[in-house]
Amino acid sequence: MDATTRFKTQRVGALPFIVAYLEKLRLGELVEQFVPWEGEVPLGTLVEVMVCNRLLNPKAQYKIGQWAQRSGVCDYYDISEEELNDDRLGRALERIAKHSFTVQSQLILHLVKKFKLDVSNIHYDISNVELWGAYERQLNESGQAEVGPSPMYGRTKSGRKNVKQVQFGINVARDGAVPIDLIPFDGNQAEVKTHVENLDRLRRMLPTKSLVYAADTKFDSPENLLTNKAAGGKFLCGGAFQPHLKEEYLAITDKLKIVNYCPKSKQHLAPSERPKYKTHEVYKTIEGNVDNRTVRLKYRLIFVWSEAKAAEEAKTRERHLNKIREEFAAVEKNLNKFSLKTEAKIVRRLEKAKGKYQIGHVFTYQLTQRSGKFKLRWQIDQEALDRQIRLEGAYLLKTDLAKSEYPSTKVLAEYKEQIQVERRIGDIKGPLAIAPMFVEKPLRIAGLLQILLWALMALSLMERDVRRSLNGEPMYGIYPENRPCAAPTGRGILECFEELSIVIVKHKGEMLRRLAELESVQQKLIKMMGIPPGALRAFKHRCCQT
């Protein structure tokens, strides 16, 4: 080194760490192996860049080349900003979508072998992506609809009715809450109809025959239950609380027994302060035809009462009762005035107030007219209200898991793990920022959803590795002031590498890139995840000399 030597520091954040982890997943390698591609830039490289973009810059997937140039990704992968143009990335998304099932199947086989991931217990749920814009129907050269999820109007999670959406179903392994598959659906697809397709896809994809499938109440239909039984699978789902089952529950309330269950969020409380749960179960049988053969299913119907749920529903009930009372009182006060001068308008106003909340059915009224003037009398049906109060806190679970292995307490605890699917959906919509979505063609939408799945898989596996290494002990160094972190998240792990830099040395016409020294918490994290220190490199490919 002499006076001509120049040093430059380039902040790359978690990029070297993410790339090392993607190599551990063999993502780029599997894409290259199973997806045909004719482009000048390897498809595996494009996929890794897009996954890094989701993990490091969770914004609209737009002008990725400019982001890659600014963030050092271009230098790291030895590619130019122009090579990451939107057209090339769009074509890459289309090709990924066409071959996603093959790549995903191979990736799961690798995870089972390399990470010892247990994929025999799967939780499933569905969510949506709201889209802004016209999103006209895409047709190919033959005039037929493009393959892929079609943006359509449907029942959105936010309640908006003026936006189109696409939907997606996500499967999450019980082991570490690792997502293993994502299926795109049209915006108007009914959730109850997605399960048969999903079950068939899982059985073709997963290297296991003993699949336990957990889902919410939308799985509770004879077709879904019998299809799962015909394929030899087991299930656990929330039960649709139909009127006849509510009557059955009211008849057995004295048979409910307290079970030894407590949510993880309440386990810090003293035993006397923890919310109580009660259960009672009966056996039911359904029968039907699946693929021209008769299938008979005997399952356990478990009635559950939750003290915490009952308390929350009681607060909601009182709030809604008061709102309807206020509306009825306002109608009574303004009767024969303003717009309340005809029977039709008065009844419409009262029925609107009743229909706004579920508890509205307990309100009754009599509207009479004498000498051209209306008179209103209204009251609450106490018997109906008492019945509603008795139903508060109650819900159903259905399963065909053996009672000897899964008593009511374990079934309840297992079903509560359904929240892990919701947590991963939250990651997609939050840290990975699926919206806004600046792609229009259905195949590109499907391809982008697949990129998000791979980014989420990497994030979840990082989290799983660290938590398994901690074995229940807290970790220090992630939170400020060295406060203990009981359960590090994938996002929190990446934030530990935010300040990581590369030192670029120019000396006598040569350029050398060296990774800055890792901090103690960074060294601890890569050790927990089984990444050798030498796997974190200053470049993906051999650096060119200048």
Side-chain angles (χ1 to χ4, degrees):
M1 300 293 176
D2 54 32
T4 62
T5 304
R6 295 291 181 265
F7 296 89
K8 179 182 178 182
T9 300
Q10 183 182 48
R11 180 181 169 185
V12 292
L15 177 62
F17 166 68
I18 293 171
V19 171
Y21 208 83
L22 293 179
E23 289 180 350
K24 186 178 177 182
L25 293 178
R26 293 181 58 208
L27 178 59
E29 178 185 341
L30 291 172
V31 168
E32 292 283 351
Q33 183 177 352
F34 292 100
V35 183
W37 179 250
E38 306 79 24
E40 297 177 358
V41 181
L43 185 58
T45 298
L46 297 177
V47 166
E48 287 193 9
V49 169
M50 287 190 281
V51 169
C52 289
N53 174 259
R54 292 296 85 198
L55 293 171
L56 295 173
N57 186 54
K59 297 180 181 179
Q61 191 116 335
Y62 178 62
K63 293 185 178 180
I64 288 183
Q66 292 183 10
W67 162 79
Q69 183 64 42
R70 292 194 308 268
S71 60
V73 173
C74 285
D75 292 339
Y76 196 87
Y77 278 93
D78 192 22
I79 53 179
S80 67
E81 175 183 337
E82 291 73 22
E83 288 177 310
L84 295 175
N85 60 74
D86 291 341
D87 179 64
R88 175 175 279 126
L89 293 177
R91 287 186 282 110
L93 291 175
E94 293 178 13
R95 194 62 62 88
I96 291 166
K98 291 178 180 178
H99 299 271
S100 60
F101 180 84
T102 302
V103 176
Q104 194 63 26
S105 299
Q106 296 298 321
L107 186 56
I108 290 173
L109 289 174
H110 175 65
L111 295 183
V112 170
K113 183 178 180 180
K114 177 73 174 179
F115 292 81
K116 309 299 181 186
L117 184 67
D118 181 5
V119 293
S120 63
N121 196 326
I122 303 298
H123 289 259
Y124 172 81
D125 203 357
I126 190 171
S127 191
N128 71 321
V129 185
E130 295 180 8
L131 306 171
W132 302 90
Y135 278 90
E136 300 293 342
R137 190 181 186 194
Q138 296 286 319
L139 302 177
N140 58 26
E141 295 178 355
S142 304
Q144 298 177 335
E146 286 275 5
V147 177
S150 298
M152 291 185 178
Y153 294 108
R155 181 175 294 179
T156 62
K157 301 294 183 181
S158 67
R160 295 188 183 100
K161 298 180 180 180
N162 62 333
V163 296
K164 290 185 178 181
Q165 65 173 0
V166 293
Q167 300 182 94
F168 61 91
I170 183 169
N171 294 289
V172 173
R174 172 73 167 80
D175 180 8
V178 177
I180 60 167
D181 193 26
L182 184 148
I183 314 174
F185 296 112
D186 294 344
N188 61 352
Q189 174 69 54
E191 182 175 348
V192 70
K193 299 292 186 181
T194 66
H195 290 280
V196 172
E197 177 184 347
N198 186 51
L199 284 167
D200 175 68
R201 183 179 172 100
L202 286 175
R203 291 193 175 91
R204 290 186 290 119
M205 179 180 288
L206 301 182
T208 179
K209 294 182 179 179
S210 56
L211 177 65
V212 178
Y213 186 75
D216 59 17
T217 56
K218 298 298 190 299
F219 182 67
D220 184 18
S221 76
E223 180 186 4
N224 292 334
L225 298 178
L226 292 173
T227 299
N228 187 65
K229 173 65 175 179
K234 298 291 185 179
F235 80 93
L236 167 60
C237 72
F241 215 169
Q242 298 172 341
H244 71 280
L245 292 175
K246 291 181 179 179
E247 295 300 329
E248 187 173 346
Y249 168 79
L250 293 173
I252 57 90
T253 51
D254 59 330
K255 297 180 181 180
L256 293 168
K257 303 296 182 184
I258 294 178
V259 294
N260 185 25
Y261 170 76
C262 180
K264 293 179 182 178
S265 60
K266 303 295 182 181
Q267 289 179 359
H268 65 283
L269 300 175
S272 59
E273 298 177 356
R274 294 175 180 177
K276 296 180 179 62
Y277 286 80
K278 297 180 180 181
T279 66
H280 175 72
E281 65 177 84
V282 296
Y283 283 93
K284 299 285 185 179
T285 303
I286 58 173
E287 189 174 298
N289 291 321
V290 178
D291 296 332
N292 297 320
R293 64 188 180 98
T294 301
V295 178
R296 190 170 183 268
L297 170 66
K298 184 179 181 180
Y299 63 90
R300 299 157 61 192
L301 174 63
I302 305 175
F303 296 97
V304 183
W305 178 82
S306 163
E307 183 181 30
K309 186 173 186 288
E312 288 300 317
E313 290 180 351
K315 292 178 183 178
T316 301
R317 177 205 352 122
E318 284 302 317
R319 186 171 65 252
H320 291 174
L321 283 173
N322 288 333
K323 287 182 178 294
I324 300 175
R325 286 191 189 103
E326 291 172 2
E327 186 65 16
F328 270 54
V331 172
E332 187 176 21
K333 179 181 179 180
N334 295 311
L335 212 58
N336 303 302
K337 300 176 185 177
F338 310 113
S339 63
L340 301 175
K341 295 180 180 180
T342 66
E343 181 178 357
K345 291 185 177 180
I346 296 170
V347 170
R348 187 184 305 120
R349 179 89 170 264
L350 294 172
E351 290 298 325
K352 182 179 179 181
K354 288 180 60 177
K356 193 171 184 180
Y357 303 107
Q358 186 179 8
I359 197 66
H361 71 277
V362 305
F363 283 80
T364 62
Y365 61 89
Q366 299 84 38
L367 185 64
T368 58
Q369 185 179 22
R370 188 174 182 181
S371 302
K373 298 291 184 179
F374 288 100
K375 185 177 181 180
L376 175 66
R377 293 180 60 191
W378 60 273
Q379 57 278 326
I380 292 177
D381 184 340
Q382 193 60 45
E383 183 178 346
L385 180 59
D386 290 343
R387 180 182 182 277
Q388 187 67 31
I389 291 173
R390 292 178 63 198
L391 288 169
E392 288 174 352
Y395 58 95
L396 303 178
L397 297 178
K398 292 184 178 183
T399 183
D400 60 350
L401 293 168
K403 190 173 182 178
S404 58
E405 297 180 24
Y406 285 84
S408 298
T409 304
K410 189 173 180 180
V411 170
L412 184 57
E414 191 67 30
Y415 183 71
K416 291 293 184 179
E417 290 300 313
Q418 188 71 8
I419 195 174
Q420 301 297 347
V421 190
E422 298 169 9
R423 186 160 72 92
R424 293 310 180 202
I425 290 174
D427 287 336
I428 288 178
K429 295 188 174 185
L432 299 182
I434 191 172
M437 185 179 285
F438 286 178
V439 288
E440 186 173 1
K441 293 183 177 180
L443 263 183
R444 295 189 178 188
I445 293 175
L448 178 55
L449 288 171
Q450 190 65 37
I451 292 293
L452 283 158
L453 172 66
W454 289 333
L456 186 59
M457 287 180 71
L459 204 66
S460 305
L461 286 165
M462 294 173 191
E463 181 182 293
R464 175 179 177 266
D465 282 348
V466 172
R467 292 187 180 186
R468 284 164 68 96
S469 297
L470 289 172
N471 196 26
E473 296 294 323
M475 182 171 180
Y476 297 87
I478 291 182
Y479 287 164
E481 302 171 352
N482 207 34
R483 288 182 281 116
C485 177
T489 63
R491 177 53 55 187
I493 293 168
L494 289 185
E495 288 174 354
C496 290
F497 293 86
E498 277 187 339
E499 302 300 324
L500 191 59
S501 299
I502 288 175
V503 178
I504 303 173
V505 183
K506 291 185 178 180
H507 179 67
K508 295 182 178 180
E510 293 186 354
M511 184 175 70
L512 304 175
R513 295 166 61 90
R514 293 288 184 269
L515 198 64
E517 185 177 352
L518 297 179
E519 299 175 355
S520 59
V521 67
Q522 294 170 344
Q523 294 175 4
K524 188 175 182 180
L525 284 170
I526 65 171
K527 183 178 180 181
M528 287 178 171
M529 285 179 278
I531 299 176
L536 267 64
R537 301 188 299 273
F539 47 84
K540 173 72 174 181
H541 302 296
R542 186 173 61 186
C543 184
C544 298
Q545 294 186 353
T546 59

